[in-house]
């Protein structure tokens, strides 16, 4: 008779444990679903290109921010320093034979860089799409800028 009461007690504890695990799993999936829905059409927080934060922006807004950063870098150039010498390098150079001609040595693919940033956490992989946006928010993610260099000029 004692055995019957122990097995009923064991079954109750086991079902409680299963119920708690199920509820926790549903809470995690529901929270992740809410997080995904709240950033639908926008880039997840923590995504950066260089020092430009794109989190919370739509694809169009991200492209505008990246283009503004590229335009600023094109105007100001990038300082390069070696030992005690420093030069400013810009992606645009003028022609020595024709002062009105300007050649672009490097170009920035704004659209594809923004698409890469937007694609984080959107790979149609259920587990990856649940985990990746949270990891990006916690640890951050730097998307590489897609810059093309023209070696012929």
């Amino acid at each position: 008779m004692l055995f019957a009461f122990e097995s009923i007690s064991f079954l109750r504890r086991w079902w409680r444990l299963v119920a708690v695990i199920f509820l926790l799993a549903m809470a995690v999936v529901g929270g992740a679903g809410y997080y995904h829905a709240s950033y639908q059409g926008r880039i997840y927080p923590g995504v950066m290109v260089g020092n430009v934060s794109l989190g919370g922006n739509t694809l169009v807004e991200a492209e505008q921010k990246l283009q503004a950063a590229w335009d600023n870098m094109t105007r100001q150039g990038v300082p390069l320093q070696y030992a005690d010498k420093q030069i400013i390098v810009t992606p645009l150079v003028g022609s020595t034979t024709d002062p009105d001609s300007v050649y672009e040595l490097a170009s920035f693919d704004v659209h594809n860089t923004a698409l890469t940033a937007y694609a984080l956490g959107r790979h149609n992989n259920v587990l990856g799409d649940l985990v990746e946006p949270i990891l990006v928010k916690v640890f951050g993610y730097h998307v590489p800028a897609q810059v093309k260099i023209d070696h012929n000029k």
Side-chain angles (χ1 to χ4, degrees):
M1 199 66 158
L2 184 63
F3 178 72
F5 288 119
E6 287 178 8
S7 64
I8 291 173
S9 176
F10 171 76
L11 285 175
R12 282 184 182 163
R13 282 185 283 169
W14 188 80
W15 278 109
R16 284 182 188 157
L17 178 65
V18 168
V20 167
I21 290 172
F22 177 76
L23 290 174
L24 286 174
M26 293 308 295
V28 168
V29 170
Y34 175 77
Y35 188 74
H36 278 281
S38 64
Y39 284 99
Q40 185 176 3
R42 296 187 295 147
I43 297 171
Y44 290 112
V47 178
M48 297 185 73
V49 175
N51 62 353
V52 179
S53 175
L54 300 178
N57 291 297
T58 64
L59 190 58
V60 172
E61 292 168 343
E63 288 176 355
Q64 291 170 348
K65 278 180 111 172
L66 292 172
Q67 188 64 53
W70 177 256
D71 292 343
N72 187 39
M73 195 272 305
T74 300
R75 280 190 305 278
Q76 294 180 355
V78 176
L80 296 178
Q81 186 168 352
Y82 179 75
D84 61 340
K85 305 229 185 236
Q86 181 177 358
I87 62 170
I88 305 294
V89 178
T90 63
L92 300 175
V93 291
S95 170
T96 56
T97 57
D98 184 7
D100 293 331
S101 294
V102 175
Y103 298 104
E104 188 175 47
L105 296 177
S107 61
F108 179 37
D109 192 345
V110 173
H111 180 69
N112 282 331
T113 302
L115 273 177
T116 302
Y118 180 77
L120 288 170
R122 296 177 173 95
H123 305 292
N124 294 327
N125 173 344
V126 175
L127 184 59
D129 289 351
L130 286 175
V131 173
E132 191 172 49
I134 295 166
L135 292 176
V136 167
K137 182 176 177 84
V138 172
F139 298 109
Y141 187 83
H142 287 270
V143 174
Q146 297 181 20
V147 177
K148 297 174 189 157
I149 297 175
D150 187 353
H151 296 282
N152 297 325
K153 294 189 179 175

